[in-house]
Amino acid sequence: MKPVVLNSPDQNKERKRTDKTNNFEEFILDDSFKVLGSNKYYYLYTYGCQGNESDSEKIRGLMEGMSFSITYDLDKTDIIIMNTCAIRKNAEDKVFGELGRLKQLKRKKPDLIVGLCGCMAQEESVVRRLLTKYQNVDFIFGTHNIHSLPSLIKRVMENKERVVDVLSYEGDIVEKIPMVRESNIKAWVPIMYGCDEFCTYCIVPYTRGKERSRLKENIIKEVEDLISQGYQEITLLGQNVNAYGKDFVDHKYDFADLLSDLSELPIPRIRFTTNNPKDFDDRQIEVIKNSKNIMPAIHLPVQSGSNKILKKMNRKYTKESFIELCDKLYKAIPDVSITTDIIVAFPYETEEDFCETLELVKRCNFEGAYTFIFSKREGTPAANYVDENITEEIAYDRLYRLNDLVNEGYARGNNRFLNKIVKVLIEGYSKSNENILMGYTENNKLVNVLGDKKYIGKIVDVKIKDAKTWSLDGEIID
Ligand code: SAH
Ligand code: SF4
Ligand code: F3S
């Protein structure tokens, strides 16, 4: 079937930044959509970062606003939506693998509708591949027009069309898209969208567009609503939360201001991610230090410990300034846990550069890290960097050596709580054992405890009895 292409992605346009000011719009679900999904089911795949998890909560809100019910059974579903991630090749391979398997399901159930959205939808090459090789994908939409989902589904259902609607420029900030949240204890709260950093390896500035901050009023209102619903924890989301508000042209209000205002609200726990070292300033540290409800766990991606590589990555800070920032955080927030992200085998990374990364990991006392082998992303500057010295073998060798060191950090970070009493927000039952409750400490350490379900959703005192590399075991103290 020939697809109806309303808009398709164009990486050259995605790369552009205009000085257009943000427009804010309020979403209203038209009555004509509200019964479209009566007696029908949807199945939702979510890959990628917390930003995508948060988008999936909007997708759920829209689907349920149209009367579709969620199912976790592929045989029962009428619609499948795949919310995808493009950050590394293996993230995309997973999606193509799953789409391959879904071809069989579609043969069995010809009326099944499959939609794909998220960051992969923003890539020209992916959309081309989907249109030619994956006839089982019925509609594609992008990260800027999640709110188009109802009208796209209507077209596919009623006109039996194949539709592509992917915008290459950031649209308005759309408020009030309904949400069905995954948890009734912890909530994601996006404070900004997009990214203007253009780290040379990264696809996000293309797939998510220009950096746009939500207005303070809308964020505070959302958090107040969450508090009234009994939520215990919020995590503020953005690709560089420290740059929040820098795009406001008619008023001044930045991340330190936002943190300060939110910390006055009666929400027990505030977290935020991800931080960019370059924009983490002293005022932000001061606010964190002086607040009681901003948690002492900071995720601070460094990417590399070599100034040469940091420069090639366009990270805009140095090893020295990163160390200084960590020292300031340790001094201001004595109990803080710092975690990071690191890429190994970036083009031109020599053994010496890599050893500088190892040294930095030791120096900064990280209590955890997400570690990755560099993955080429088409259209990014680093995709054109060629370094034949780095073989797959070298890349894996560096990754494993780094992981050994990082794991020592995880263990050290957990060990320091042995025999201490810590506050744990109990979230539910442990995945591996249905009789054990699990939750996280203020420092974001996973804790397992024996206990009654009455504790779920509560913050309790726990005495830590055993520290393992990945988790702590403890006992609730009533
Ligand atoms: N905005 C966040 C990161 C979002 S992506 C920040 O700047 O810290 C999450 C992590 O994926 C990055 O921190 C980086 O370590 C990794 N990553 C991004 N692009 C990558 C690529 N092309 N190859 C390997 N890892 C990558
Ligand atoms: Fe990617 Fe860099 Fe933006 Fe993070 S800050 S999303 S790594 S471009
Ligand atoms: Fe992936 Fe897009 Fe997030 S590429 S990491 S889902 S911003």
Side-chain angles (χ1 to χ4, degrees), residues 223-237:
V223 175
E224 283 170 345
D225 285 350
L226 291 165
I227 294 169
S228 69
Q229 291 166 51
Y231 278 84
Q232 299 294 303
E233 179 175 307
I234 55 164
T235 302
L236 310 176
L237 296 182

Side-chain angles (χ1 to χ4, degrees), residues 135-295:
Q135 294 296 330
N136 58 336
V137 176
D138 301 282
F139 68 104
I140 304 172
F141 61 105
T143 58
H144 302 301
N145 61 333
I146 291 177
H147 54 284
S148 310
L149 178 64
S151 60
L152 292 174
I153 287 191
K154 194 161 191 265
R155 285 184 82 132
V156 177
M157 281 173 71
E158 290 180 357
N159 310 350
K160 307 268 177 247
E161 283 174 341
R162 248 188 128 193
V163 202
V164 180
D165 193 8
V166 180
L167 305 176
S168 302
Y169 53 89
E170 61 290 343
D172 300 336
I173 290 192
V174 187
E175 294 288 348
K176 302 223 169 124
I177 298 180
M179 271 190 222
V180 175
R181 296 189 192 259
E182 273 306 307
S183 156
N184 53 13
I185 301 167
K186 307 203 296 191
W188 307 120
V189 178
I191 60 169
M192 62 204 296
Y193 303 102
C195 181
D196 285 348
E197 288 302 321
F198 289 96
C199 302
T200 54
Y201 49 82
C202 185
I203 193 86
V204 173
Y206 308 85
T207 62
R208 294 274 168 174
K210 185 180 146 177
E211 212 160 86
R212 290 149 292 145
S213 302
R214 287 177 73 197
L215 291 177
K216 154 196 175 181
E217 296 77 25
N218 294 328
I219 298 170
I220 291 181
K221 171 82 176 49
E222 182 172 340
V223 175
E224 283 170 345
D225 285 350
L226 291 165
I227 294 169
S228 69
Q229 291 166 51
Y231 278 84
Q232 299 294 303
E233 179 175 307
I234 55 164
T235 302
L236 310 176
L237 296 182
Q239 293 299 344
N240 172 4
V241 289
N242 315 86
Y244 168 82
K246 290 196 171 171
D247 52 325
F248 293 145
V249 283
D250 51 355
H251 67 291
K252 266 192 154 21
Y253 188 79
D254 66 12
F255 188 53
D257 298 323
L258 180 68
L259 274 183
S260 171
D261 283 343
L262 291 176
S263 68
E264 301 285 313
L265 300 178
I267 181 87
R269 291 180 165 199
I270 300 175
R271 301 185 191 276
F272 46 88
T273 196
T274 297
N275 295 286
N276 191 312
K278 117 180 196 292
D279 290 308
F280 210 136
D281 64 32
D282 291 350
R283 274 184 63 233
Q284 296 171 15
I285 298 177
E286 202 54 29
V287 174
I288 300 169
K289 174 183 168 181
N290 294 329
S291 81
K292 292 208 168 50
N293 50 358
I294 301 178
M295 294 296 104

Side-chain angles (χ1 to χ4, degrees), residues 223-435:
V223 175
E224 283 170 345
D225 285 350
L226 291 165
I227 294 169
S228 69
Q229 291 166 51
Y231 278 84
Q232 299 294 303
E233 179 175 307
I234 55 164
T235 302
L236 310 176
L237 296 182
Q239 293 299 344
N240 172 4
V241 289
N242 315 86
Y244 168 82
K246 290 196 171 171
D247 52 325
F248 293 145
V249 283
D250 51 355
H251 67 291
K252 266 192 154 21
Y253 188 79
D254 66 12
F255 188 53
D257 298 323
L258 180 68
L259 274 183
S260 171
D261 283 343
L262 291 176
S263 68
E264 301 285 313
L265 300 178
I267 181 87
R269 291 180 165 199
I270 300 175
R271 301 185 191 276
F272 46 88
T273 196
T274 297
N275 295 286
N276 191 312
K278 117 180 196 292
D279 290 308
F280 210 136
D281 64 32
D282 291 350
R283 274 184 63 233
Q284 296 171 15
I285 298 177
E286 202 54 29
V287 174
I288 300 169
K289 174 183 168 181
N290 294 329
S291 81
K292 292 208 168 50
N293 50 358
I294 301 178
M295 294 296 104
I298 308 267
H299 189 63
L300 194 62
V302 65
Q303 314 300 356
S304 167
S306 148
N307 284 336
K308 180 189 97 188
I309 297 297
L310 286 172
K311 194 145 191 231
K312 290 200 187 303
M313 290 176 162
N314 191 29
R315 285 294 285 184
K316 305 174 199 134
Y317 53 84
T318 60
K319 166 173 82 174
E320 291 77 18
S321 67
F322 183 88
I323 291 174
E324 195 188 323
L325 175 59
C326 287
D327 287 349
K328 274 192 208 167
L329 287 166
Y330 283 122
K331 189 156 171 251
I333 316 155
D335 219 23
V336 73
S337 298
I338 303 180
T339 50
T340 198
D341 290 352
I342 295 169
I343 298 176
V344 299
F346 190 76
Y348 319 122
E349 184 188 71
T350 60
E351 174 63 21
E352 289 73 39
D353 294 317
F354 174 66
C355 287
E356 283 192 71
T357 299
L358 295 179
E359 282 309 311
L360 184 93
V361 170
K362 285 186 212 149
R363 172 67 177 78
C364 293
N365 279 314
F366 296 127
E367 291 185 6
Y370 296 113
T371 57
F372 312 101
I373 291 176
F374 167 69
S375 169
K376 253 185 200 198
R377 305 285 67 213
E378 200 178 306
T380 64
N384 300 321
Y385 300 172
V386 183
D387 180 357
E388 275 155 15
N389 293 321
I390 300 180
T391 58
E392 198 175 309
E393 196 186 343
I394 290 181
Y396 277 98
D397 174 65
R398 289 184 190 163
L399 183 72
Y400 296 148
R401 279 154 70 202
L402 175 62
N403 284 348
D404 285 344
L405 192 60
V406 163
N407 293 346
E408 285 174 26
Y410 275 105
R412 192 185 55 248
N414 278 340
N415 269 321
R416 72 182 172 109
F417 294 100
L418 194 59
N419 299 320
K420 299 238 166 72
I421 295 171
V422 290
K423 295 211 174 297
V424 179
L425 170 56
I426 303 290
E427 289 180 22
Y429 288 104
S430 144
K431 275 194 196 127
S432 53
N433 186 332
E434 282 183 9
N435 299 315

